[in-house]
Amino acid sequence: MQSVVRRFKGYPLAVALALSTAPICVAAEPTVEEVVKNCYYKYAGDDQRSVMTAILRDQNGDEQNYEFVRVWKDYSGEGDLVDKVVIYTLKPLSQRDIAFMRWGYTLDSGKEAEQWVYLPETRMVRRLVKRDPEKNGDWGLNDEELRIRGYEEDEHTYLGVKVFEQKQFYVVESRPKSSDPEYSKLVYWYRKTDDWDSCVEGRRDYYDNQGLLAKSQFTKWDKIGDAWIWRSAVVKNAKTNTTVVYKMRDVEVNVGLDDSDFSKRSLKLGHRR
């Protein structure tokens, strides 16, 4: 569910800046600002269309499998919008044609994300209230976790280079400045590479307000043209021992989506190429 905005993946949100086409070499010891601004904020295209699968695996190893068509468009702050995304359900067949739409807004606008769902059995589009993070655990990530955070929202500390799975990563600890954060800190692991263009997030650890690890996210990427796209994301919940695996395929970038593709009417019509 990528767009600062990355979504990017989809999802949601601050505006991803286009990078220079010429690779920029990394200094021997980069600053925390260099690491975050070059590795966290990646261009994801102006819009995307893809097939997304999700596998929900509980603590007993039992699985639920889903398949969706996902369309996404970056608005880069136009009209206070960060991005829009629509997800059409393909599988399971019992849920086919259920569709979900989300409009994400800039942090400065003070607006909450707007969300709608289309239920084919009622043929009606219903507006949703903001999802409760405690009720969203089965899907691995909630709206706030999918949102791309602004650099000034957090206090960043560079923890140096560490090794994970025989690869080197720049590790950055980010603590929210807000008085009531969902997490006390996020620890990001960015792949250490020879140039900034190839530096992407490989892992993210979420710590609750008691300082305990809540979940970890492991992301792999593909590059299509100049755009960085999630290939897969695995979210492991340390408290419930559940896992969600997201995979993207048949990804198209800059296909020319417009406002009509992100409307209540489009939810009712269903996915059309």
Side-chain angles (χ1 to χ4, degrees):
M1 289 182 165
Q2 324 168 13
S3 128
V4 186
V5 188
R6 226 182 315 189
R7 267 141 256 338
F8 258 155
K9 124 265 196 212
Y11 272 53
L13 311 163
V15 179
L17 303 176
L19 303 177
S20 169
T21 55
I24 300 175
C25 294
V26 179
E29 189 65 22
T31 65
V32 66
E33 184 173 0
E34 286 178 318
V35 172
V36 175
K37 290 190 174 180
N38 284 286
C39 304
Y40 180 68
Y41 301 109
K42 309 300 284 190
Y43 176 63
D46 298 328
D47 60 44
Q48 294 177 25
R49 181 167 55 206
S50 61
V51 175
M52 179 177 72
T53 61
I55 301 173
L56 282 60
R57 188 176 299 121
D58 66 19
Q59 60 269 35
N60 299 316
D62 295 328
E63 294 184 353
Q64 299 178 59
N65 292 270
Y66 296 84
E67 185 173 290
F68 310 93
V69 169
R70 177 181 173 275
V71 293
W72 165 85
K73 181 175 175 62
D74 176 24
Y75 280 79
S76 298
E78 179 183 347
D80 292 332
L81 282 162
V82 170
D83 61 356
K84 294 181 180 180
V85 63
V86 175
I87 295 175
Y88 300 98
T89 306
L90 300 179
K91 296 178 182 178
L93 294 179
S94 60
Q95 298 182 29
R96 188 177 179 88
D97 294 332
I98 293 176
F100 168 83
M101 179 168 66
R102 182 182 189 276
W103 294 8
Y105 292 94
T106 62
L107 190 67
D108 289 343
S109 72
K111 298 178 181 178
E112 297 281 1
E114 295 183 279
Q115 301 171 100
W116 296 265
V117 63
Y118 170 68
L119 301 175
E121 63 268 25
T122 65
R123 298 184 180 180
M124 294 179 62
V125 175
R126 183 167 64 88
R127 187 164 185 163
L128 300 176
V129 297
K130 183 178 179 180
R131 287 184 285 178
D132 183 346
E134 295 300 320
K135 297 179 180 179
N136 194 53
D138 287 345
W139 286 97
L141 299 171
N142 62 39
D143 297 326
E144 179 64 18
E145 293 158 358
L146 288 166
R147 177 176 76 83
I148 299 299
R149 300 180 64 81
Y151 183 80
E152 299 299 332
E153 288 186 68
D154 304 315
E155 292 285 352
H156 306 282
T157 303
Y158 178 50
L159 302 181
V161 175
K162 298 185 180 182
V163 176
F164 173 67
E165 293 185 341
Q166 300 181 326
K167 298 180 179 67
Q168 291 187 316
F169 292 83
Y170 300 113
V171 182
V172 173
E173 177 185 283
S174 299
R175 290 183 176 271
K177 295 178 182 178
S178 64
S179 58
D180 186 27
E182 184 171 345
Y183 296 101
S184 62
K185 66 178 180 181
L186 301 176
V187 177
Y188 297 87
W189 299 61
Y190 301 107
R191 182 70 188 276
K192 185 177 186 293
T193 55
D194 292 334
D195 61 78
W196 285 125
D197 182 58
S198 302
C199 179
V200 291
E201 179 186 333
R203 171 178 168 180
R204 186 187 307 183
D205 297 323
Y206 301 80
Y207 290 82
D208 64 20
N209 288 309
Q210 286 71 50
L212 301 175
L213 179 65
K215 67 178 71 172
S216 294
Q217 175 184 332
F218 306 89
T219 307
K220 294 183 178 180
W221 301 80
D222 284 323
K223 194 174 185 184
I224 301 179
D226 293 332
W228 284 98
I229 309 298
W230 275 14
R231 179 197 313 162
S232 65
V234 178
V235 184
K236 297 182 178 180
N237 192 307
K239 296 185 175 183
T240 63
N241 199 30
T242 56
T243 301
V244 182
V245 180
Y246 295 103
K247 293 184 179 180
M248 310 290 283
R249 61 177 172 82
D250 301 335
V251 180
E252 301 171 272
V253 178
N254 297 336
V255 295
L257 302 175
D258 59 32
D259 289 347
S260 66
D261 295 302
F262 302 91
S263 65
K264 295 179 182 178
R265 183 171 183 271
S266 68
L267 293 185
K268 292 182 177 181
L269 290 174
H271 172 60
R272 300 171 298 159
R273 284 190 178 271

